[in-house]
Amino acid sequence: GGRPGLARNAGVEATSGAFVAFLDDDDEWLPGKAAAQRDAMAQSGARFCACAIEGDATPVPPLLAAEALAARNVVACSSVVVARSVLVAAGGFGEERYGQDWRCWQRCLALGPGAVVAAPLVRLNGDAADLDRSTVRAEGRQALRAALGDGAPAALAASFAGFL
């Protein structure tokens, strides 16, 4: 529950470092995460970097562009390191209950491509699997509402009524 974007934005405002990394309270960084992402960003010149998630078979492209996140969020918040300046220029996180990280990553990546560390360096714990499913459903509902809008044909809107 809640609005995690508000807490994340407050944390970003309280920082003075050049880069920001995120770690949800029920997740873990595996050894070497920070160094691997620092190196990937240095080698690629990227100012955004994500890594794979332990036990997740979702393919993450070797270079992230905004288009890679057009259909679905393939970037877990706890896997991200981003230049503070990029995050601020992208407007930070929204206040929505769901999907605010996805939209934030899209805005960040619209400013330039992101690097990816293929090694799984984050472990999602606790209710992560349920959270991922509910977040994907919520993000899908929001995308459908945006796409269908008020002018959607009644038959099309009706076919998504249970999902919306």
Side-chain angles (χ1 to χ4, degrees):
R3 294 184 175 3
L6 297 175
R8 291 176 180 143
N9 287 337
V12 171
E13 286 181 32
T15 66
S16 59
F19 291 89
V20 179
F22 299 95
L23 180 63
D24 287 351
D25 65 347
D26 57 347
D27 297 343
E28 294 175 65
W29 286 354
L30 301 178
K33 178 190 180 294
Q37 289 186 290
R38 179 198 62 220
D39 293 349
M41 293 171 84
Q43 290 172 1
S44 68
R47 299 176 54 184
F48 182 102
C49 187
C51 66
I53 303 300
E54 183 182 71
D56 187 353
T58 303
V60 179
L63 187 66
L64 277 174
E67 299 81 34
L69 275 72
R72 65 185 286 234
N73 188 4
V74 296
V75 176
C77 193
S78 292
S79 78
V80 171
V81 175
V82 61
R84 187 179 189 281
S85 61
V86 169
L87 190 58
V88 170
F93 294 93
E95 297 181 15
E96 306 91 343
R97 292 180 77 90
Y98 303 102
Q100 34 60 43
D101 56 338
W102 182 21
R103 284 180 290 286
C104 181
W105 307 152
Q106 289 172 326
R107 292 190 304 273
C108 287
L109 293 170
L111 299 173
V116 174
V117 174
L121 297 172
V122 172
R123 178 178 298 132
L124 303 180
N125 294 311
D127 296 330
D130 292 336
L131 178 60
D132 289 344
R133 268 192 302 278
S134 67
T135 299
V136 168
R137 283 185 55 86
E139 290 169 351
R141 285 192 296 272
Q142 288 176 348
L144 283 171
R145 280 190 194 105
L148 295 176
D150 293 332
L156 181 60
S159 68
F160 287 105
F163 191 66
L164 298 172

